[in-house]
Amino acid sequence: MNKENNPICKLLGIEYPIIQGGMAWVSGGGLVGAVSAAGGLGVIGSGSMTSELLRHHIRKARSITDRPFAVNVPMMYHRTAETIDIMEEEGVKIIITSAGNPATFTPELKKRGFTVLHVVSSVRQAVKAAQSGVDAVIAEGFEAGGHNGKQETTTMVLTPAVVAAVDIPVVAAGGIASGGAMAAAIALGAVAVQIGSLFIAADESSAHPAFVEEVLKADEGDTMLTLKELSPVRLLKNPFYEQVQEAYKNHATVDELKELLGKGRAREGMLCGNLDKGELEVGQVCMMMKKRMPASEIIKEVIEQYNSTLERIKGMGI
Ligand SMILES: Cc1cc2nc3c(=O)[nH]c(=O)nc-3n(C[C@H](O)[C@H](O)[C@H](O)COP(=O)(O)O)c2cc1C
């Protein structure tokens, strides 16, 4: 892999075209510092943080590495403008926006010298993001953990469709947990990958150990995209998920679903380890995740598999 030839490595100043997806409750300064130190791009999940906590995690990541890292800002939360100010004060100049209209903040961010990547789950959103002036889009398919699009477009379909629709670099996300999957994404026209779920089980993640155990035990079919009426999210099946399904059977209204979801479910599940009442976000790849390991090992393994996949394909000579 030659980073000089990769537009995302050049844009972000990283060694490998691997972005660790920003994850609320999971990606704090410890994980982010470890990923960036290992040559990927660590991304702080600011969606779950107060402003003071964000500052703390930026400083923590910086104490681990002097390599670049980013902050993910889900724009559905109201503190976006304040978060941008904190990033500027702390000298973090790469922002990954999601869950909101890219036109709202991108022009201002570009004026202030930020590198902006925006997460999309449809071609329509990708075109809108490119028109608003982002530097790259992250196309996140249906397999992904966390919040996702209603369209249910898989990474295999979304990636080439977005590549065809925009003329800025495209990063593929969703269902990528091996170098083979990374090679597939690159073959489809992406220039880098964003990986989330795999890093839940990194030694440095802030996920509660009980949540990580559930992820490592998960099998095929154990996650499902649900709550489409509110904000579609892929969840691990647990008693809370079953409660949601029960509500659907009883034809719950949107307000009833909102009430059932309540506040603080994600924190309860992923940070506090309440496996019954909490929301447990993870992607389909959990069926392939079997053990915890340091973030640096995850990156090393993915890159080794990526290189051996390319060799295997070349060896087939077709
Ligand atoms: C536990 C968890 C929390 C997440 N939180 C966020 C978030 O706060 N903001 C965001 O843009 N994406 C979030 N995501 C999505 C990831 O950044 C990433 O795009 C996704 O996990 C990639 O798919 P994968 O899980 O198949 O690797 C989250 C994903 C997970 C698994």
Side-chain angles (χ1 to χ4, degrees):
M1 187 168 296
N2 183 351
K3 66 178 176 179
E4 296 309 316
N5 292 335
N6 185 299
I8 282 289
C9 291
K10 272 206 274 192
L11 180 72
L12 305 176
I14 56 178
E15 195 176 343
Y16 303 119
I18 296 178
I19 298 174
Q20 161 256 305
M23 290 180 282
W25 306 114
V26 172
S27 62
L31 176 61
V32 170
V35 168
S36 285
L41 185 79
V43 183
I44 294 176
S46 80
S48 51
M49 295 176 184
T50 60
S51 299
E52 297 73 52
L53 201 58
L54 172 61
R55 218 183 270 283
H56 163 81
H57 282 288
I58 289 175
R59 291 180 182 179
K60 186 166 173 186
R62 177 129 327 111
S63 73
I64 297 168
T65 184
D66 54 9
R67 289 180 157 190
F69 58 88
V71 173
N72 165 248
V73 182
M75 293 184 289
M76 62 187 173
Y77 303 114
H78 302 298
R79 289 177 291 100
T80 303
E82 195 180 325
T83 301
I84 294 167
D85 288 343
I86 292 172
M87 289 178 66
E88 194 164 58
E89 283 161 26
E90 296 293 326
V92 181
K93 296 311 285 278
I94 306 172
I95 185 165
I96 300 188
T97 53
S98 59
N101 183 352
T104 315
F105 286 100
T106 305
E108 162 83 6
L109 283 164
K110 291 307 300 170
K111 237 187 269 163
R112 287 163 74 171
F114 282 88
T115 298
V116 186
L117 288 80
H118 185 71
V119 183
V120 300
S121 57
S122 71
V123 173
R124 196 180 59 80
Q125 288 174 3
V127 170
K128 212 165 140 186
Q131 283 166 349
S132 76
V134 303
D135 296 282
V137 284
I138 301 175
E140 187 190 58
F142 173 66
E143 303 92 323
H147 292 270
N148 208 310
K150 288 193 176 102
Q151 294 84 351
E152 302 199 350
T153 314
T154 58
T155 305
M156 199 79 178
V157 174
L158 184 65
T159 305
V162 170
V163 168
V166 299
D167 54 11
I168 52 175
V170 176
V171 178
I176 297 164
S178 67
M182 176 171 165
I186 305 282
L188 293 172
V191 290
V193 292
Q194 170 162 290
I195 295 176
S197 296
L198 206 51
F199 286 108
I200 294 175
D203 288 345
E204 301 88 347
S205 104
S206 353
H208 191 282
F211 167 43
V212 178
E213 275 307 303
E214 285 302 290
V215 167
L216 297 180
K217 276 197 292 196
D219 205 348
E220 196 173 353
D222 282 351
T223 71
M224 214 51 84
L225 190 74
T226 189
L227 290 170
K228 280 190 175 181
E229 298 77 1
L230 306 182
S231 169
V233 60
R234 181 170 295 283
L235 296 181
L236 197 57
K237 292 177 179 171
N238 71 341
F240 167 64
Y241 170 85
E242 299 304 340
Q243 248 183 303
V244 174
Q245 295 320 106
E246 202 50 41
Y248 278 120
K249 267 195 224 146
N250 296 325
H251 310 288
T253 61
V254 170
D255 282 341
E256 284 166 343
L257 288 174
K258 256 189 211 156
E259 199 181 316
L260 174 59
L261 179 61
K263 286 224 179 326
R265 287 268 185 196
R267 177 180 196 277
E268 194 61 24
M270 297 189 284
L271 189 76
C272 306
N274 187 337
L275 302 180
D276 291 340
K277 294 194 176 135
E279 192 183 297
L280 309 176
E281 297 179 16
V282 66
Q284 288 184 342
V285 295
C286 59
M287 66 183 276
M288 293 182 289
M289 293 167 59
K290 297 292 169 233
K291 60 177 176 99
R292 297 203 75 147
M293 55 176 130
S296 60
E297 285 295 311
I298 293 177
I299 291 180
K300 190 167 161 256
E301 208 173 277
V302 169
I303 293 297
E304 279 170 7
Q305 291 166 349
Y306 173 80
N307 286 328
S308 63
T309 302
L310 295 192
E311 284 306 312
R312 186 174 62 79
I313 295 172
K314 243 197 276 168
M316 290 197 298
I318 47 171

PDB file of all heavy atoms in Angstrom, residues 241-269:
ATOM      1  N   TYR A 241     -34.806  -4.799  22.906  1.00  0.00           N
ATOM      2  CA  TYR A 241     -35.184  -4.973  21.496  1.00  0.00           C
ATOM      3  C   TYR A 241     -36.517  -5.733  21.404  1.00  0.00           C
ATOM      4  O   TYR A 241     -37.399  -5.370  20.616  1.00  0.00           O
ATOM      5  CB  TYR A 241     -34.072  -5.731  20.743  1.00  0.00           C
ATOM      6  CG  TYR A 241     -34.492  -6.155  19.359  1.00  0.00           C
ATOM      7  CD1 TYR A 241     -34.386  -5.291  18.278  1.00  0.00           C
ATOM      8  CD2 TYR A 241     -35.041  -7.427  19.142  1.00  0.00           C
ATOM      9  CE1 TYR A 241     -34.820  -5.671  17.024  1.00  0.00           C
ATOM     10  CE2 TYR A 241     -35.470  -7.808  17.884  1.00  0.00           C
ATOM     11  CZ  TYR A 241     -35.353  -6.927  16.824  1.00  0.00           C
ATOM     12  OH  TYR A 241     -35.782  -7.310  15.579  1.00  0.00           O
ATOM     13  N   GLU A 242     -36.661  -6.795  22.232  1.00  0.00           N
ATOM     14  CA  GLU A 242     -37.900  -7.589  22.198  1.00  0.00           C
ATOM     15  C   GLU A 242     -39.103  -6.726  22.597  1.00  0.00           C
ATOM     16  O   GLU A 242     -40.194  -6.871  22.053  1.00  0.00           O
ATOM     17  CB  GLU A 242     -37.812  -8.821  23.111  1.00  0.00           C
ATOM     18  CG  GLU A 242     -36.709  -9.814  22.728  1.00  0.00           C
ATOM     19  CD  GLU A 242     -36.796 -10.326  21.282  1.00  0.00           C
ATOM     20  OE1 GLU A 242     -37.881 -10.242  20.671  1.00  0.00           O
ATOM     21  OE2 GLU A 242     -35.757 -10.780  20.754  1.00  0.00           O
ATOM     22  N   GLN A 243     -38.871  -5.821  23.561  1.00  0.00           N
ATOM     23  CA  GLN A 243     -39.946  -4.901  23.985  1.00  0.00           C
ATOM     24  C   GLN A 243     -40.404  -4.036  22.807  1.00  0.00           C
ATOM     25  O   GLN A 243     -41.587  -3.776  22.640  1.00  0.00           O
ATOM     26  CB  GLN A 243     -39.399  -3.967  25.069  1.00  0.00           C
ATOM     27  CG  GLN A 243     -39.981  -4.182  26.451  1.00  0.00           C
ATOM     28  CD  GLN A 243     -39.393  -3.142  27.391  1.00  0.00           C
ATOM     29  OE1 GLN A 243     -38.158  -3.049  27.535  1.00  0.00           O
ATOM     30  NE2 GLN A 243     -40.249  -2.352  28.014  1.00  0.00           N
ATOM     31  N   VAL A 244     -39.429  -3.585  22.023  1.00  0.00           N
ATOM     32  CA  VAL A 244     -39.751  -2.763  20.841  1.00  0.00           C
ATOM     33  C   VAL A 244     -40.587  -3.596  19.862  1.00  0.00           C
ATOM     34  O   VAL A 244     -41.598  -3.129  19.321  1.00  0.00           O
ATOM     35  CB  VAL A 244     -38.461  -2.244  20.155  1.00  0.00           C
ATOM     36  CG1 VAL A 244     -38.788  -1.521  18.840  1.00  0.00           C
ATOM     37  CG2 VAL A 244     -37.681  -1.319  21.081  1.00  0.00           C
ATOM     38  N   GLN A 245     -40.189  -4.863  19.672  1.00  0.00           N
ATOM     39  CA  GLN A 245     -40.920  -5.728  18.740  1.00  0.00           C
ATOM     40  C   GLN A 245     -42.355  -5.958  19.223  1.00  0.00           C
ATOM     41  O   GLN A 245     -43.294  -5.963  18.447  1.00  0.00           O
ATOM     42  CB  GLN A 245     -40.204  -7.080  18.564  1.00  0.00           C
ATOM     43  CG  GLN A 245     -38.840  -6.981  17.914  1.00  0.00           C
ATOM     44  CD  GLN A 245     -38.791  -5.971  16.777  1.00  0.00           C
ATOM     45  OE1 GLN A 245     -38.237  -4.886  16.918  1.00  0.00           O
ATOM     46  NE2 GLN A 245     -39.397  -6.284  15.653  1.00  0.00           N
ATOM     47  N   GLU A 246     -42.482  -6.127  20.535  1.00  0.00           N
ATOM     48  CA  GLU A 246     -43.799  -6.320  21.143  1.00  0.00           C
ATOM     49  C   GLU A 246     -44.676  -5.083  20.868  1.00  0.00           C
ATOM     50  O   GLU A 246     -45.852  -5.188  20.518  1.00  0.00           O
ATOM     51  CB  GLU A 246     -43.593  -6.512  22.656  1.00  0.00           C
ATOM     52  CG  GLU A 246     -44.698  -7.210  23.411  1.00  0.00           C
ATOM     53  CD  GLU A 246     -45.161  -8.524  22.793  1.00  0.00           C
ATOM     54  OE1 GLU A 246     -44.313  -9.312  22.321  1.00  0.00           O
ATOM     55  OE2 GLU A 246     -46.385  -8.742  22.778  1.00  0.00           O
ATOM     56  N   ALA A 247     -44.040  -3.901  21.013  1.00  0.00           N
ATOM     57  CA  ALA A 247     -44.770  -2.649  20.770  1.00  0.00           C
ATOM     58  C   ALA A 247     -45.257  -2.588  19.321  1.00  0.00           C
ATOM     59  O   ALA A 247     -46.387  -2.177  19.046  1.00  0.00           O
ATOM     60  CB  ALA A 247     -43.879  -1.457  21.090  1.00  0.00           C
ATOM     61  N   TYR A 248     -44.400  -3.028  18.382  1.00  0.00           N
ATOM     62  CA  TYR A 248     -44.818  -3.054  16.977  1.00  0.00           C
ATOM     63  C   TYR A 248     -46.028  -3.963  16.780  1.00  0.00           C
ATOM     64  O   TYR A 248     -46.967  -3.628  16.074  1.00  0.00           O
ATOM     65  CB  TYR A 248     -43.666  -3.516  16.070  1.00  0.00           C
ATOM     66  CG  TYR A 248     -42.691  -2.421  15.731  1.00  0.00           C
ATOM     67  CD1 TYR A 248     -41.347  -2.515  16.076  1.00  0.00           C
ATOM     68  CD2 TYR A 248     -43.113  -1.281  15.040  1.00  0.00           C
ATOM     69  CE1 TYR A 248     -40.454  -1.506  15.775  1.00  0.00           C
ATOM     70  CE2 TYR A 248     -42.225  -0.271  14.725  1.00  0.00           C
ATOM     71  CZ  TYR A 248     -40.892  -0.384  15.088  1.00  0.00           C
ATOM     72  OH  TYR A 248     -40.014   0.610  14.782  1.00  0.00           O
ATOM     73  N   LYS A 249     -45.973  -5.147  17.448  1.00  0.00           N
ATOM     74  CA  LYS A 249     -47.094  -6.104  17.319  1.00  0.00           C
ATOM     75  C   LYS A 249     -48.393  -5.470  17.790  1.00  0.00           C
ATOM     76  O   LYS A 249     -49.464  -5.744  17.279  1.00  0.00           O
ATOM     77  CB  LYS A 249     -46.786  -7.351  18.156  1.00  0.00           C
ATOM     78  CG  LYS A 249     -46.109  -8.432  17.360  1.00  0.00           C
ATOM     79  CD  LYS A 249     -46.147  -9.766  18.117  1.00  0.00           C
ATOM     80  CE  LYS A 249     -44.798 -10.427  18.025  1.00  0.00           C
ATOM     81  NZ  LYS A 249     -44.412 -11.176  19.201  1.00  0.00           N
ATOM     82  N   ASN A 250     -48.258  -4.602  18.793  1.00  0.00           N
ATOM     83  CA  ASN A 250     -49.446  -3.934  19.334  1.00  0.00           C
ATOM     84  C   ASN A 250     -49.743  -2.616  18.622  1.00  0.00           C
ATOM     85  O   ASN A 250     -50.458  -1.768  19.149  1.00  0.00           O
ATOM     86  CB  ASN A 250     -49.269  -3.696  20.843  1.00  0.00           C
ATOM     87  CG  ASN A 250     -49.181  -5.006  21.585  1.00  0.00           C
ATOM     88  OD1 ASN A 250     -49.832  -5.965  21.215  1.00  0.00           O
ATOM     89  ND2 ASN A 250     -48.353  -5.071  22.620  1.00  0.00           N
ATOM     90  N   HIS A 251     -49.135  -2.439  17.437  1.00  0.00           N
ATOM     91  CA  HIS A 251     -49.369  -1.256  16.593  1.00  0.00           C
ATOM     92  C   HIS A 251     -49.088   0.054  17.330  1.00  0.00           C
ATOM     93  O   HIS A 251     -49.886   1.001  17.279  1.00  0.00           O
ATOM     94  CB  HIS A 251     -50.818  -1.258  16.053  1.00  0.00           C
ATOM     95  CG  HIS A 251     -51.192  -2.560  15.425  1.00  0.00           C
ATOM     96  ND1 HIS A 251     -50.684  -2.963  14.223  1.00  0.00           N
ATOM     97  CD2 HIS A 251     -51.986  -3.578  15.861  1.00  0.00           C
ATOM     98  CE1 HIS A 251     -51.142  -4.170  13.925  1.00  0.00           C
ATOM     99  NE2 HIS A 251     -51.922  -4.567  14.913  1.00  0.00           N
ATOM    100  N   ALA A 252     -47.961   0.106  18.026  1.00  0.00           N
ATOM    101  CA  ALA A 252     -47.593   1.316  18.785  1.00  0.00           C
ATOM    102  C   ALA A 252     -47.511   2.532  17.865  1.00  0.00           C
ATOM    103  O   ALA A 252     -47.060   2.432  16.714  1.00  0.00           O
ATOM    104  CB  ALA A 252     -46.250   1.097  19.472  1.00  0.00           C
ATOM    105  N   THR A 253     -47.929   3.672  18.370  1.00  0.00           N
ATOM    106  CA  THR A 253     -47.797   4.913  17.609  1.00  0.00           C
ATOM    107  C   THR A 253     -46.365   5.424  17.760  1.00  0.00           C
ATOM    108  O   THR A 253     -45.616   4.946  18.616  1.00  0.00           O
ATOM    109  CB  THR A 253     -48.740   5.993  18.178  1.00  0.00           C
ATOM    110  OG1 THR A 253     -48.345   6.231  19.531  1.00  0.00           O
ATOM    111  CG2 THR A 253     -50.190   5.566  18.120  1.00  0.00           C
ATOM    112  N   VAL A 254     -46.009   6.429  16.950  1.00  0.00           N
ATOM    113  CA  VAL A 254     -44.661   7.005  17.045  1.00  0.00           C
ATOM    114  C   VAL A 254     -44.427   7.543  18.461  1.00  0.00           C
ATOM    115  O   VAL A 254     -43.351   7.352  19.044  1.00  0.00           O
ATOM    116  CB  VAL A 254     -44.475   8.114  15.982  1.00  0.00           C
ATOM    117  CG1 VAL A 254     -43.190   8.894  16.222  1.00  0.00           C
ATOM    118  CG2 VAL A 254     -44.457   7.512  14.590  1.00  0.00           C
ATOM    119  N   ASP A 255     -45.447   8.186  19.019  1.00  0.00           N
ATOM    120  CA  ASP A 255     -45.290   8.733  20.378  1.00  0.00           C
ATOM    121  C   ASP A 255     -45.062   7.632  21.399  1.00  0.00           C
ATOM    122  O   ASP A 255     -44.253   7.770  22.314  1.00  0.00           O
ATOM    123  CB  ASP A 255     -46.516   9.570  20.767  1.00  0.00           C
ATOM    124  CG  ASP A 255     -46.459  10.943  20.115  1.00  0.00           C
ATOM    125  OD1 ASP A 255     -45.351  11.341  19.696  1.00  0.00           O
ATOM    126  OD2 ASP A 255     -47.514  11.590  20.003  1.00  0.00           O
ATOM    127  N   GLU A 256     -45.752   6.517  21.221  1.00  0.00           N
ATOM    128  CA  GLU A 256     -45.552   5.388  22.150  1.00  0.00           C
ATOM    129  C   GLU A 256     -44.138   4.812  22.004  1.00  0.00           C
ATOM    130  O   GLU A 256     -43.495   4.452  22.988  1.00  0.00           O
ATOM    131  CB  GLU A 256     -46.622   4.308  21.909  1.00  0.00           C
ATOM    132  CG  GLU A 256     -47.976   4.700  22.496  1.00  0.00           C
ATOM    133  CD  GLU A 256     -49.132   3.825  21.985  1.00  0.00           C
ATOM    134  OE1 GLU A 256     -48.983   3.135  20.954  1.00  0.00           O
ATOM    135  OE2 GLU A 256     -50.189   3.859  22.622  1.00  0.00           O
ATOM    136  N   LEU A 257     -43.663   4.746  20.755  1.00  0.00           N
ATOM    137  CA  LEU A 257     -42.291   4.247  20.540  1.00  0.00           C
ATOM    138  C   LEU A 257     -41.276   5.187  21.186  1.00  0.00           C
ATOM    139  O   LEU A 257     -40.313   4.760  21.822  1.00  0.00           O
ATOM    140  CB  LEU A 257     -41.995   4.118  19.044  1.00  0.00           C
ATOM    141  CG  LEU A 257     -42.678   2.975  18.296  1.00  0.00           C
ATOM    142  CD1 LEU A 257     -42.394   3.078  16.808  1.00  0.00           C
ATOM    143  CD2 LEU A 257     -42.236   1.613  18.821  1.00  0.00           C
ATOM    144  N   LYS A 258     -41.539   6.491  21.027  1.00  0.00           N
ATOM    145  CA  LYS A 258     -40.651   7.510  21.619  1.00  0.00           C
ATOM    146  C   LYS A 258     -40.601   7.332  23.132  1.00  0.00           C
ATOM    147  O   LYS A 258     -39.538   7.405  23.748  1.00  0.00           O
ATOM    148  CB  LYS A 258     -41.180   8.915  21.302  1.00  0.00           C
ATOM    149  CG  LYS A 258     -40.397   9.598  20.212  1.00  0.00           C
ATOM    150  CD  LYS A 258     -40.815  11.064  20.105  1.00  0.00           C
ATOM    151  CE  LYS A 258     -40.670  11.526  18.676  1.00  0.00           C
ATOM    152  NZ  LYS A 258     -41.496  12.638  18.305  1.00  0.00           N
ATOM    153  N   GLU A 259     -41.759   7.102  23.705  1.00  0.00           N
ATOM    154  CA  GLU A 259     -41.832   6.960  25.152  1.00  0.00           C
ATOM    155  C   GLU A 259     -41.084   5.695  25.606  1.00  0.00           C
ATOM    156  O   GLU A 259     -40.359   5.698  26.595  1.00  0.00           O
ATOM    157  CB  GLU A 259     -43.294   6.890  25.577  1.00  0.00           C
ATOM    158  CG  GLU A 259     -43.467   7.205  27.059  1.00  0.00           C
ATOM    159  CD  GLU A 259     -44.921   7.098  27.467  1.00  0.00           C
ATOM    160  OE1 GLU A 259     -45.783   7.591  26.715  1.00  0.00           O
ATOM    161  OE2 GLU A 259     -45.165   6.496  28.525  1.00  0.00           O
ATOM    162  N   LEU A 260     -41.243   4.627  24.836  1.00  0.00           N
ATOM    163  CA  LEU A 260     -40.558   3.367  25.166  1.00  0.00           C
ATOM    164  C   LEU A 260     -39.040   3.557  25.088  1.00  0.00           C
ATOM    165  O   LEU A 260     -38.296   3.100  25.961  1.00  0.00           O
ATOM    166  CB  LEU A 260     -41.020   2.271  24.193  1.00  0.00           C
ATOM    167  CG  LEU A 260     -40.323   0.912  24.276  1.00  0.00           C
ATOM    168  CD1 LEU A 260     -40.501   0.310  25.675  1.00  0.00           C
ATOM    169  CD2 LEU A 260     -40.889  -0.045  23.224  1.00  0.00           C
ATOM    170  N   LEU A 261     -38.604   4.247  24.040  1.00  0.00           N
ATOM    171  CA  LEU A 261     -37.160   4.487  23.889  1.00  0.00           C
ATOM    172  C   LEU A 261     -36.657   5.350  25.039  1.00  0.00           C
ATOM    173  O   LEU A 261     -35.608   5.076  25.629  1.00  0.00           O
ATOM    174  CB  LEU A 261     -36.881   5.160  22.533  1.00  0.00           C
ATOM    175  CG  LEU A 261     -35.429   5.501  22.222  1.00  0.00           C
ATOM    176  CD1 LEU A 261     -34.572   4.232  22.192  1.00  0.00           C
ATOM    177  CD2 LEU A 261     -35.303   6.224  20.878  1.00  0.00           C
ATOM    178  N   GLY A 262     -37.430   6.377  25.366  1.00  0.00           N
ATOM    179  CA  GLY A 262     -37.074   7.245  26.490  1.00  0.00           C
ATOM    180  C   GLY A 262     -35.726   7.904  26.288  1.00  0.00           C
ATOM    181  O   GLY A 262     -35.267   8.098  25.158  1.00  0.00           O
ATOM    182  N   LYS A 263     -35.060   8.208  27.395  1.00  0.00           N
ATOM    183  CA  LYS A 263     -33.749   8.869  27.298  1.00  0.00           C
ATOM    184  C   LYS A 263     -32.688   7.965  27.930  1.00  0.00           C
ATOM    185  O   LYS A 263     -32.965   7.237  28.876  1.00  0.00           O
ATOM    186  CB  LYS A 263     -33.795  10.193  28.053  1.00  0.00           C
ATOM    187  CG  LYS A 263     -34.576  11.265  27.342  1.00  0.00           C
ATOM    188  CD  LYS A 263     -33.847  12.602  27.387  1.00  0.00           C
ATOM    189  CE  LYS A 263     -34.536  13.730  26.672  1.00  0.00           C
ATOM    190  NZ  LYS A 263     -35.285  13.457  25.484  1.00  0.00           N
ATOM    191  N   GLY A 264     -31.496   8.032  27.406  1.00  0.00           N
ATOM    192  CA  GLY A 264     -30.377   7.362  28.070  1.00  0.00           C
ATOM    193  C   GLY A 264     -30.272   5.864  27.851  1.00  0.00           C
ATOM    194  O   GLY A 264     -29.489   5.201  28.521  1.00  0.00           O
ATOM    195  N   ARG A 265     -31.025   5.288  26.890  1.00  0.00           N
ATOM    196  CA  ARG A 265     -30.955   3.837  26.642  1.00  0.00           C
ATOM    197  C   ARG A 265     -29.575   3.391  26.149  1.00  0.00           C
ATOM    198  O   ARG A 265     -29.084   2.336  26.512  1.00  0.00           O
ATOM    199  CB  ARG A 265     -31.966   3.432  25.579  1.00  0.00           C
ATOM    200  CG  ARG A 265     -33.374   3.449  26.024  1.00  0.00           C
ATOM    201  CD  ARG A 265     -33.817   2.112  26.558  1.00  0.00           C
ATOM    202  NE  ARG A 265     -35.219   2.173  26.868  1.00  0.00           N
ATOM    203  CZ  ARG A 265     -35.872   1.303  27.617  1.00  0.00           C
ATOM    204  NH1 ARG A 265     -35.226   0.277  28.127  1.00  0.00           N
ATOM    205  NH2 ARG A 265     -37.141   1.431  27.855  1.00  0.00           N
ATOM    206  N   ALA A 266     -28.990   4.211  25.239  1.00  0.00           N
ATOM    207  CA  ALA A 266     -27.704   3.828  24.658  1.00  0.00           C
ATOM    208  C   ALA A 266     -26.612   3.866  25.732  1.00  0.00           C
ATOM    209  O   ALA A 266     -25.782   2.951  25.841  1.00  0.00           O
ATOM    210  CB  ALA A 266     -27.359   4.769  23.505  1.00  0.00           C
ATOM    211  N   ARG A 267     -26.639   4.889  26.573  1.00  0.00           N
ATOM    212  CA  ARG A 267     -25.668   4.997  27.660  1.00  0.00           C
ATOM    213  C   ARG A 267     -25.808   3.803  28.592  1.00  0.00           C
ATOM    214  O   ARG A 267     -24.823   3.149  28.965  1.00  0.00           O
ATOM    215  CB  ARG A 267     -25.909   6.304  28.418  1.00  0.00           C
ATOM    216  CG  ARG A 267     -25.022   6.507  29.603  1.00  0.00           C
ATOM    217  CD  ARG A 267     -25.327   7.823  30.312  1.00  0.00           C
ATOM    218  NE  ARG A 267     -24.258   8.178  31.206  1.00  0.00           N
ATOM    219  CZ  ARG A 267     -24.145   7.696  32.435  1.00  0.00           C
ATOM    220  NH1 ARG A 267     -25.046   6.862  32.914  1.00  0.00           N
ATOM    221  NH2 ARG A 267     -23.119   8.043  33.193  1.00  0.00           N
ATOM    222  N   GLU A 268     -27.063   3.516  28.943  1.00  0.00           N
ATOM    223  CA  GLU A 268     -27.378   2.417  29.856  1.00  0.00           C
ATOM    224  C   GLU A 268     -26.798   1.092  29.324  1.00  0.00           C
ATOM    225  O   GLU A 268     -26.176   0.333  30.068  1.00  0.00           O
ATOM    226  CB  GLU A 268     -28.910   2.352  29.972  1.00  0.00           C
ATOM    227  CG  GLU A 268     -29.454   1.531  31.079  1.00  0.00           C
ATOM    228  CD  GLU A 268     -29.043   2.009  32.456  1.00  0.00           C
ATOM    229  OE1 GLU A 268     -28.719   3.203  32.649  1.00  0.00           O
ATOM    230  OE2 GLU A 268     -29.023   1.155  33.347  1.00  0.00           O
ATOM    231  N   GLY A 269     -27.007   0.849  28.038  1.00  0.00           N
ATOM    232  CA  GLY A 269     -26.569  -0.431  27.467  1.00  0.00           C
ATOM    233  C   GLY A 269     -25.078  -0.492  27.205  1.00  0.00           C
ATOM    234  O   GLY A 269     -24.393  -1.423  27.643  1.00  0.00           O
TER     235      GLY A 269
END
